[in-house]
């Protein structure tokens, strides 16, 4: 069993999901509102899931430029915080998940780094940051995870959002 399978048993290594699947996730994972309490509850859910899997991740939730939640679990490093910031900036600029943005560039036969003309020290279209989209309002923030391979980071956030949004 590989290290990633141990910490993320629900995830299996595979190719990039189709753009349609990634875009459907964004259409499906929309909030009716997003409060400080929601940020705490979603962040706490992510921490709980990460602890269960012993995932060495950092978790961040931002809304309107304010950090509402941050946690660093054992095995995470300051580099994870730098990755969070770079992935979050992609979502803020493009209004889509960082993984989806990267996948769109790859689908065009190029890479984000080569084609976006944005500083790779400031922006990273790697998986793990997802838009907080409020119905009737639009993207108001981000939820970001860093510490796993990029597709696993993306899926981890999506799984938590699905669980959070379908509780209520």
């Amino acid at each position: 069993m590989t290290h990633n399978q141990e910490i993320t048993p629900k995830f299996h290594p595979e190719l990039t999901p189709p753009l349609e699947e990634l875009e459907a996730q964004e259409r499906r994972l929309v909030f009716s509102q997003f409060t400080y309490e929601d940020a705490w509850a979603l962040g706490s859910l992510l921490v709980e899931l990460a602890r269960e899997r012993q995932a060495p991740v950092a978790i961040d939730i931002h809304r309107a430029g304010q950090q509402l939640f941050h946690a660093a679990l054992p095995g995470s490093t300051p580099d994870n915080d730098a990755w969070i910031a770079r992935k979050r900036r992609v979502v803020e600029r493009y209004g889509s998940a960082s993984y989806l943005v990267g996948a769109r560039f790859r689908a065009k036969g190029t890479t984000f780094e080569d084609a976006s003309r944005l500083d790779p020290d400031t922006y990273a279209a790697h998986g793990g940051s997802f838009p907080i989209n409020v119905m009737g309002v639009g993207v108001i923030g981000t939820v970001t995870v860093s510490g796993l391979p990029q597709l696993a980071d993306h899926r981890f956030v999506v799984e938590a959002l699905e669980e959070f949004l379908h509780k209520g």
Side-chain angles (χ1 to χ4, degrees):
M1 181 176 282
T2 68
H3 177 68
N4 287 341
Q5 288 170 324
E6 289 172 8
I7 62 173
T8 56
K10 286 190 170 186
F11 306 132
H12 304 286
E14 56 189 271
L15 300 174
T16 299
L19 289 178
E20 297 78 24
E21 178 183 328
L22 298 170
E23 290 166 346
Q25 290 170 348
E26 290 194 0
R27 287 190 301 274
R28 189 174 69 248
L29 299 173
V30 176
F31 292 80
S32 59
Q33 64 176 7
F34 193 78
T35 65
Y36 289 95
E37 292 77 18
D38 292 326
W40 179 260
L42 177 58
S44 298
L45 173 61
L46 282 157
V47 168
E48 178 185 325
L49 293 171
R51 284 182 174 155
E52 286 173 6
R53 298 167 192 184
Q54 299 178 348
V57 297
I59 299 161
D60 177 90
I61 299 175
H62 265 70
R63 184 185 69 182
Q66 181 183 19
Q67 185 178 54
L68 301 185
F69 186 93
H70 183 84
L73 279 75
S76 65
T77 70
D79 286 344
N80 297 120
D81 292 328
W83 275 99
I84 283 171
R86 292 167 59 217
K87 294 189 276 190
R88 185 185 76 243
R89 287 186 198 106
V90 167
V91 176
E92 291 168 348
R93 184 174 187 112
Y94 290 86
S96 290
S98 54
Y99 192 79
L100 174 56
V101 171
R104 284 177 174 153
F105 278 91
R106 289 188 297 276
K108 293 176 187 172
T110 186
T111 66
F112 176 81
E113 294 77 12
D114 289 340
S116 72
R117 303 189 63 172
L118 296 172
D119 182 352
D121 290 335
T122 306
Y123 295 90
H126 291 252
S129 191
F130 203 91
I132 296 171
N133 189 359
V134 175
M135 197 177 323
V137 178
V139 176
I140 62 152
T142 58
V143 54
T144 310
V145 169
S146 175
L148 304 172
Q150 67 167 324
L151 181 55
D153 274 347
H154 174 80
R155 287 198 166 141
F156 186 62
V157 171
V158 167
E159 176 190 343
L161 286 169
E162 286 174 341
E163 183 174 329
F164 182 84
L165 287 167
H166 294 104
K167 275 185 179 178

